Amino acid sequence: MKQIKTYHFKLNPTKAQEQTFAQWLGSCRYVYNLCLDYKKQLYTSHRTSINKNDIQKELSAIAKEIAWIGCVHSQTLQEVTDRLFKTYEGFFKQGKGFPKFAKRNQYRSFTFKQGIKIHQGINSIQLPKIGKVNYRKSQPVEGIIKTASIIKEAVGWYIAICCEAAIIPLSSVENTLGLDVGIKSFLVTSDGVVVDNPKHLYHRQYRLRKAQRAVSRKKKGSNNRKKAVQKLARAHQKVKNARKDFHHKLSTQLIRENQTIITENLQIKNMVKNHKLAKSIADAGWYQFIQMLEYKSKWYGRELIKVAANHTSQDCSVCGWRNKELQLKDRSWTCINGHTLKRDLNAAINIRNKGVGHTPSAWEIYSDSGRVAQESHLL
Ligand SMILES: [Zn+2]
């Protein structure tokens, strides 16, 4: 089985390389807007359309005449038109918005379609027409490199390398695990494990809030405000990176240890409407995490099942009695038959049972996992 895997690395370009990146990015955005304008004009004035091949031919003629467009690698320019036609396709076939002119802060990357080489030993990446660029190696790149995109982030430049690699499924294991979104913690498993957000993430979030306050205190248009805005952007980037790293490690571990993982089919949009939950859901980035579980389960021959979210908190996982009075603030509760339940753990067990499809075995699962003994410590 072959899979596309994307690696993200921070680049450490020289000053000159950074200038080239910025210049190429500007040229690509210009070309994108130019082609969009051209297509629009053709349609409004002549009611005709132009296909991708023809527009690319015209583009290579322009590149020969205009130096600051011609300096960009021809395949990188081609990819700009690929993007434009993809946006058009999204409009016609999927009912997405009509292509818009790209503003400076919206157009943030350009792509190489071939000729990328990685020198793993010396931590540099060879890019066509640009040469060797140093990068911060966090993991080895495996597989055949298909494309590489240079991305401008709030703090510096990053590279996303898409590789095609043969994925070897992991040998199968027995475990089936239910996961519930924790309100205080990141998640709770049906085995009674509570996974908290890592401490360093709290620390970074605290710094982020501080940076946010600093910006609002500074006078608009002042130099100090500019500096504060830059600091805020860096803080945002760091939180984003730290969270992604945490999600990667946790999702890989869960996929390795379990054959089947069952989660709620969360409607993120609906949840964000509920303001009490909004902040914790958005902060926890649950959606990103589920996406990782989803593609990693496919890579490694595991299964991810999503079940309907209704009543998973209200039902007693031991006897099935429904607590209609359960409030969001109730962290633990006792059912009419005297079963004492910890809210998130109870929900995780219900989610697991829904996925497995046989509710009667709830007690078995419950007692098998040794939770009875742990109960006092969990509550
Ligand atoms: Zn009960």
Side-chain angles (χ1 to χ4, degrees):
M1 190 170 57
K2 278 193 179 145
Q3 287 292 343
I4 297 289
K5 198 169 178 176
T6 310
Y7 298 89
H8 292 266
F9 298 113
K10 187 170 195 317
L11 293 173
N12 295 324
T14 62
K15 273 264 143 40
Q17 285 170 337
E18 235 173 308
Q19 271 174 8
T20 311
F21 287 167
Q23 195 189 357
W24 281 34
L25 188 60
S27 302
C28 286
R29 183 172 75 93
Y30 178 85
V31 165
Y32 183 89
N33 287 338
L34 181 76
C35 293
L36 175 57
D37 191 48
Y38 183 42
K39 266 179 80 65
K40 274 174 125 174
Q41 286 296 328
L42 277 179
Y43 185 74
T44 48
S45 315
H46 309 283
R47 296 280 158 203
T48 56
S49 65
I50 183 167
N51 66 29
K52 198 159 79 179
N53 275 343
D54 288 343
I55 214 166
Q56 281 175 350
K57 265 180 216 158
E58 296 198 30
L59 192 56
S60 41
I62 295 169
K64 272 175 201 147
E65 281 174 32
I66 305 173
W68 56 269
I69 293 179
C71 69
V72 179
H73 192 266
S74 59
Q75 293 223 323
T76 300
L77 288 178
Q78 262 187 29
E79 198 273 339
V80 174
T81 52
D82 291 347
R83 274 188 213 189
L84 179 63
F85 277 79
K86 229 182 203 168
T87 330
Y88 264 98
E89 218 179 272
F91 169 69
F92 286 119
K93 291 187 183 162
Q94 296 153 17
K96 288 183 181 167
F98 188 80
K100 283 184 193 149
F101 291 108
K103 289 182 184 151
R104 192 177 292 274
N105 58 352
Q106 292 165 334
Y107 204 91
R108 294 155 65 98
S109 71
F110 59 88
T111 302
F112 293 97
K113 288 164 84 175
Q114 64 177 48
I116 313 116
K117 270 185 217 131
I118 295 210
H119 307 284
Q120 311 239 28
I122 54 170
N123 292 354
S124 75
I125 300 173
Q126 181 86 30
L127 299 171
K129 273 188 131 169
I130 288 183
K132 279 179 195 162
V133 182
N134 292 332
Y135 74 106
R136 202 182 289 166
K137 183 180 171 185
S138 50
Q139 58 174 322
V141 173
E142 286 155 6
I144 302 155
I145 299 172
K146 289 289 173 187
T147 64
S149 294
I150 309 295
I151 305 159
K152 186 180 197 303
E153 291 281 10
V155 211
W157 295 87
Y158 284 73
I159 191 164
I161 304 169
C162 285
C163 291
E164 195 180 71
I167 303 276
I168 305 141
L170 295 165
S171 52
S172 63
V173 287
E174 291 286 303
N175 296 358
T176 297
L177 196 70
L179 299 182
D180 186 41
V181 196
I183 291 174
K184 281 184 183 162
S185 51
F186 178 67
L187 64 81
V188 176
T189 77
S190 57
D191 288 346
V193 177
V194 178
V195 181
D196 284 320
N197 278 301
K199 283 219 171 67
H200 64 90
L201 202 55
Y202 282 117
H203 185 62
R204 291 200 190 287
Q205 278 169 335
Y206 168 74
R207 292 229 289 248
L208 180 62
R209 279 194 290 276
K210 229 173 108 183
Q212 253 153 0
R213 280 198 299 273
V215 169
S216 57
R217 275 201 303 268
K218 302 282 186 301
K219 213 172 140 194
K220 272 189 186 158
S222 70
N223 254 343
N224 278 341
R225 192 181 169 102
K226 262 186 213 158
K227 273 184 205 159
V229 167
Q230 271 182 351
K231 211 171 173 185
L232 176 62
R234 269 199 293 274
H236 262 296
Q237 187 72 44
K238 280 185 175 162
V239 167
K240 205 173 123 187
N241 292 350
R243 183 179 294 137
K244 199 169 185 182
D245 188 54
F246 164 59
H247 290 168
H248 264 305
K249 282 178 183 149
L250 183 60
S251 56
T252 300
Q253 188 197 341
L254 290 174
I255 289 289
R256 281 188 180 283
E257 290 171 358
N258 299 282
Q259 190 62 31
T260 307
I261 292 176
I262 301 154
T263 69
E264 277 183 331
N265 195 358
L266 288 179
Q267 297 296 319
I268 302 287
K269 271 184 195 160
N270 288 343
M271 297 202 73
V272 174
K273 273 185 203 154
N274 180 343
H275 289 290
K276 275 179 196 163
L277 272 180
K279 207 191 157 333
S280 58
I281 296 286
D283 278 357
W286 184 256
Y287 183 69
Q288 171 177 282
F289 176 71
I290 295 294
Q291 276 186 320
M292 286 180 183
L293 282 180
E294 212 152 14
Y295 69 72
K296 286 179 187 178
S297 65
K298 279 181 196 140
W299 287 357
Y300 295 115
R302 302 296 205 226
E303 194 179 16
L304 181 75
I305 300 173
K306 289 183 186 171
V307 296
N310 43 345
H311 306 306
T312 45
S313 297
Q314 297 172 323
D315 290 353
C316 169
S317 58
V318 185
C319 68
W321 182 75
R322 183 163 296 166
N323 180 357
K324 286 179 181 160
E325 252 93 80
L326 189 72
Q327 304 274 311
L328 195 65
K329 64 173 170 36
D330 300 334
R331 305 309 308 148
S332 60
W333 53 283
T334 306
C335 86
I336 201 166
N337 296 318
H339 301 118
T340 306
L341 308 147
K342 198 177 149 71
R343 183 202 182 93
D344 293 338
L345 172 59
N346 179 56
I349 297 169
N350 281 329
I351 289 165
R352 182 193 191 277
N353 293 346
K354 271 193 176 188
V356 177
H358 55 108
T359 323
S361 67
W363 177 251
E364 288 162 35
I365 301 153
Y366 190 75
S367 48
D368 279 354
S369 63
R371 246 189 326 273
V372 181
Q374 291 171 16
E375 190 74 340
S376 58
H377 133 86
L378 288 166
L379 284 168

